[in-house]
Amino acid sequence: MNAGTSSAETTPCQLSTSWWQTMGLGLLDQAARTPRIGITMDNLAVAALLALTPILLAGILLIGFRWPAKYAMPIGLVAAALIANFAWQIEWVTIGASVVQGLFTAVGLLWIVFGALLLLATITRSGAIQTIRAGFVSISPDRRIQVIIIAWLFGSFIEGAAGFGTPAAVVAPLLLALGFPAIAAVLAGLVIQSTPVSFGAVGTPMVVGIGTGLSQEDGSMSSDVAARAAELGLDQSEFVAHTAAQVALMHGVCGILIPLLLSCLLTGFFGRNRRFADGLAVAPFALFAALAMIVPYLLVANLLGPEFPSLIGGLVGLAIVVSASRAGFLMPKETWDFAPREMWPKHWMGTVDPAEEAAEMTKKMSLLRAWSPYLVVVALLLFTRNVPSVKEFLTGPAVLTIEEIFGTPISSDMDLLWSPGFIFVIACLATYFIHRMTGGQITGSWKIAGSQIAGAAVALLCSLPLVRVFINSGSDYNASGLDSMPVTLAEAAASTVGSGWPLLAPFVGALGAFVAGSNTVSNIMFSQFQFSTGTAIGAASPETIVAAQAVGGAAGNMVAVHNVVAASATVGLVGREGELIRRTSIPMLVYSLTAGALAFIGINGLGFNAGTVVFGAVLVGLIVAVVLARRAPGKPLVAPSSDIEEPTPKAQSPES
């Protein structure tokens, strides 16, 4: 869940607000002397290492040993619970309440996944997918062009309208239905969870994430933030917009190569010859598509505020690029396509195969009618997110609240009607009439979606409880006096790095998103910490560090475990989470490193300093990567018979 948030997410984070009010400007010096845990842990590094253990363990099992998430995440959950009890001195009943809260959150995420699966099954059974596929072929049969238009532009628009993990849930099954390998479809859906995310769900990560993160419990700005805002002559909402404009600028620089990256990943991992150079062949078109979205995105962020950059940027970019593509502008001379399906390795494919379920068309369906389910989704998202009375009802009276689980301060919300999952289901109901589906087609679509959702359930039902135990570990819940595990990790990093902190600020944001699966929650958790750290190191504009936090939090969605699990489930690809995280971790790291360099330059100016050195190193690294890609001969696909079975905890499978 990218940009969306609910009280189930925000409440535990907001409970630690009072800690920030007492920290003051002595943050870094004080951190090293604060008493820790029951064994006088004045060594902050030890506390940070303990806090890191559950995440590190899950990461090693997922990425190093290539375990499926359904096995790795339960072990991470057990580790988090033990550390929470023995080191943070959290009562078992509180840990149990956090687990239950995580289960409720997982149900909400499964509801989104089910809706996405049902929508795919519906347009497949109705035969609409054949018309949609033909429509994209009419724009361009080139798969590199298709992935840029669908993932980067359409995905950015959906992110701006809904957030909450919706883009991957829409993009991945749509690409699958167009004939992409399942793992390629998920990879594309995850990589674009970067540039548009900070302004997803009509600006929620900015308005709610940074706005709440920099506020006191009564909603007013904390004292140090208020002083900086007064210095700039801004009120609270204007200060958030001022920070959001810096977020947009960093994203604009970091995201300029995302469409080209999509093309290169597609050809390098999934091409007949698996050559990254084949992706570079559409560089002019990819850069054009990037600018078509980013330019209006930046203009909106600076002129209209943080609510609509991704939504308007994606929509304007989509209109420009599709029109230009139909006119043949910057189209590649040679069309690139995947190898025949029979040559694909088994682990490229999931259990969802739209071709096997496609209806026999008795008459041609118009393109508008075929696209009507997605048009209904977009219309409902815009309606529910932008009509105040509807939004107030769906996020208020329509929300089921579970108060004080097991008698603890921990509560949870079930906002199933506000969720994109509900909108997907409503769109399916409308499609039954628009596409004139038969009873057999409707029943078949529900059977398909119902059977597919089971594969994602185990991993998500363990991932989300781990997240809640990790987050619900602050001083409001423990008897040790420690701050929460994520704040402890951030504290240790800041006390170690000192004035070089802007370079690492995005990685704290990425950590928050990796754990919570939400840029909004990451910003709520860390915005005040980032601002206070910026003040402590003497940064002239500490809000620039907050902006870097938000950019890193967006990039972290590329590797967030339950984002990966949820997106994989929409194409029937469960158990390959480690492989996907390995592939998305490199763009996430480069994106965050670039954001850190930009933040450092923004605070310290151009010149021979750490920021310019790092930014230069990133540019040199990209140039070297391009040169090597052009020279590399590629690696032709091997025969399918050499592929091995799906990985288990005791059997590893090689990367393609």
Side-chain angles (χ1 to χ4, degrees):
M1 294 182 288
N2 300 335
T5 187
S6 66
S7 57
E9 290 180 317
T10 59
T11 300
C13 305
Q14 291 170 327
L15 289 173
S16 63
T17 304
S18 60
W19 179 85
W20 298 115
Q21 299 169 12
T22 62
M23 181 55 88
L25 301 183
L27 172 71
L28 302 178
D29 293 332
Q30 200 172 353
R33 300 192 298 269
T34 303
R36 305 271 168 188
I37 310 183
I39 52 175
T40 61
M41 257 191 215
D42 51 349
N43 187 342
L44 186 57
V46 177
L49 182 61
L50 283 172
L52 184 62
T53 299
I55 299 174
L56 192 61
L57 179 60
I60 290 173
L61 294 176
L62 279 168
I63 301 173
F65 289 91
R66 305 182 185 184
W67 284 23
K70 64 182 179 180
Y71 299 121
M73 300 316 292
I75 293 177
L77 172 59
V78 170
L82 291 173
I83 290 171
N85 179 257
F86 290 105
W88 263 253
Q89 299 177 19
I90 301 174
E91 297 291 339
W92 283 111
V93 67
T94 303
I95 294 172
S98 295
V99 170
V100 171
Q101 185 190 44
L103 292 175
F104 280 122
T105 307
V107 170
L109 191 55
L110 286 168
W111 176 229
I112 297 174
V113 173
F114 174 76
L117 289 170
L118 183 62
L119 185 61
L120 174 62
T122 299
I123 63 171
T124 300
R125 277 300 178 109
S126 74
I129 197 61
Q130 298 178 31
T131 301
I132 293 173
R133 183 185 295 115
F136 274 107
V137 171
S138 71
I139 297 173
S140 173
D142 195 300
R143 301 297 191 173
R144 299 166 296 185
I145 304 302
Q146 291 176 1
V147 77
I148 291 172
I149 292 175
I150 296 171
W152 169 248
L153 296 169
F154 185 58
S156 294
F157 172 71
I158 293 295
E159 175 64 39
F164 218 59
T166 312
V170 171
V171 164
L174 180 55
L175 290 174
L176 176 77
L178 293 176
F180 283 63
I183 196 167
V186 176
L187 185 64
L190 291 172
V191 168
I192 62 100
Q193 296 290 279
S194 49
T195 309
V197 167
S198 288
F199 301 97
V202 201
T204 298
M206 300 291 99
V207 178
V208 176
I210 289 180
T212 301
L214 295 179
S215 298
Q216 303 177 96
E217 291 181 357
D218 63 0
S220 62
M221 289 185 285
S222 58
S223 57
D224 52 348
V225 176
R228 173 60 178 162
E231 179 184 340
L232 296 172
L234 304 174
D235 62 22
Q236 189 166 3
S237 62
E238 290 170 341
F239 186 75
V240 171
H242 163 73
T243 305
Q246 296 189 43
V247 173
L249 181 59
M250 291 183 194
H251 271 309
V253 176
C254 296
I256 194 75
L257 294 180
I258 290 294
L260 183 59
L261 175 65
L262 285 173
S263 175
C264 291
L265 291 176
L266 197 67
T267 64
F269 288 133
F270 308 106
R272 184 192 298 264
N273 296 313
R274 293 193 284 190
R275 295 180 67 246
F276 291 102
D278 293 339
L280 294 172
V282 295
F285 177 85
L287 292 174
F288 166 67
L291 292 172
M293 182 271 191
I294 288 173
V295 171
Y297 170 96
L298 288 172
L299 289 173
V300 171
N302 283 276
L303 299 176
L304 301 181
E307 288 85 0
F308 300 107
S310 294
L311 192 152
I312 294 179
L315 184 61
V316 171
L318 192 62
I320 293 173
V321 173
V322 168
S323 300
S325 300
R326 288 189 182 279
F329 182 66
L330 296 179
M331 288 291 99
K333 294 180 180 179
E334 296 182 3
T335 299
W336 186 91
D337 200 354
F338 301 108
R341 190 178 180 89
E342 56 268 20
M343 291 183 63
W344 294 359
K346 184 185 298 183
H347 66 268
W348 284 14
M349 298 174 280
T351 58
V352 178
D353 184 3
E356 294 181 1
E357 303 292 342
E360 290 295 329
M361 295 289 289
T362 57
K363 60 181 179 179
K364 184 176 177 61
M365 185 181 294
S366 70
L367 193 61
L368 178 62
R369 190 170 157 215
W371 270 97
S372 60
Y374 291 105
L375 298 178
V376 171
V377 168
V378 170
L380 288 175
L381 286 172
L382 293 175
F383 176 71
T384 56
R385 271 58 180 171
N386 293 286
V387 177
S389 59
V390 175
K391 182 176 180 179
E392 183 179 354
F393 171 76
L394 293 178
T395 57
V399 176
L400 175 64
T401 301
I402 300 92
E403 299 282 358
E404 298 181 346
I405 302 172
F406 301 150
T408 69
I410 297 172
S411 301
S412 186
D413 286 349
M414 296 286 284
D415 51 357
L416 299 183
L417 297 185
W418 170 256
S419 166
F422 178 70
I423 289 174
F424 290 153
V425 172
I426 294 298
C428 290
L429 297 177
T431 304
Y432 300 156
F433 297 97
I434 298 171
H435 291 181
R436 300 169 192 167
M437 294 178 65
T438 66
Q441 290 174 325
I442 294 171
T443 302
S445 67
W446 280 81
K447 286 181 179 178
I448 293 168
S451 63
Q452 292 165 352
I453 192 64
V458 174
L460 287 175
L461 290 173
C462 291
S463 299
L464 274 297
L466 187 159
V467 169
R468 300 322 307 180
V469 170
F470 190 77
I471 292 175
N472 295 346
S473 55
S475 57
D476 294 279
Y477 301 111
N478 67 52
S480 66
L482 278 168
D483 303 308
S484 67
M485 295 185 196
V487 171
T488 298
L489 283 170
E491 240 184 86
S495 64
T496 302
V497 176
S499 62
W501 177 248
L503 292 169
L504 292 188
F507 292 94
V508 171
L511 171 67
F514 173 77
V515 172
S518 168
N519 191 190
T520 300
V521 174
S522 179
N523 290 343
I524 290 172
M525 260 194 300
F526 292 123
S527 286
Q528 183 63 61
F529 165 81
Q530 299 277 19
F531 192 93
S532 297
T533 303
T535 303
I537 65 174
S541 57
E543 67 273 14
T544 301
I545 297 181
V546 178
Q549 145 72 37
V551 175
N557 280 271
M558 287 191 265
V559 295
V561 174
H562 61 268
N563 281 352
V564 175
V565 173
S568 300
T570 63
V571 297
L573 191 73
V574 177
R576 308 292 303 182
E577 297 87 3
E579 180 177 348
L580 284 161
I581 292 174
R582 284 197 303 276
R583 288 178 173 174
T584 55
S585 61
I586 294 177
M588 183 278 293
L589 291 170
V590 174
Y591 205 101
S592 299
L593 192 61
T594 304
L598 292 173
F600 195 98
I601 293 170
I603 291 170
N604 298 285
L606 290 170
F608 187 71
N609 56 42
T612 54
V613 169
V614 171
F615 189 76
V618 170
L619 290 179
V620 170
L622 291 174
I623 293 171
V624 170
V626 168
V627 171
L628 292 177
R630 288 189 178 279
R631 293 180 177 178
K635 183 180 179 183
L637 283 176
V638 295
S641 60
S642 67
D643 199 27
I644 68 172
E645 298 298 321
E646 293 293 320
T648 66
K650 295 182 180 180
Q652 300 180 14
S653 65
E655 276 191 62
S656 61

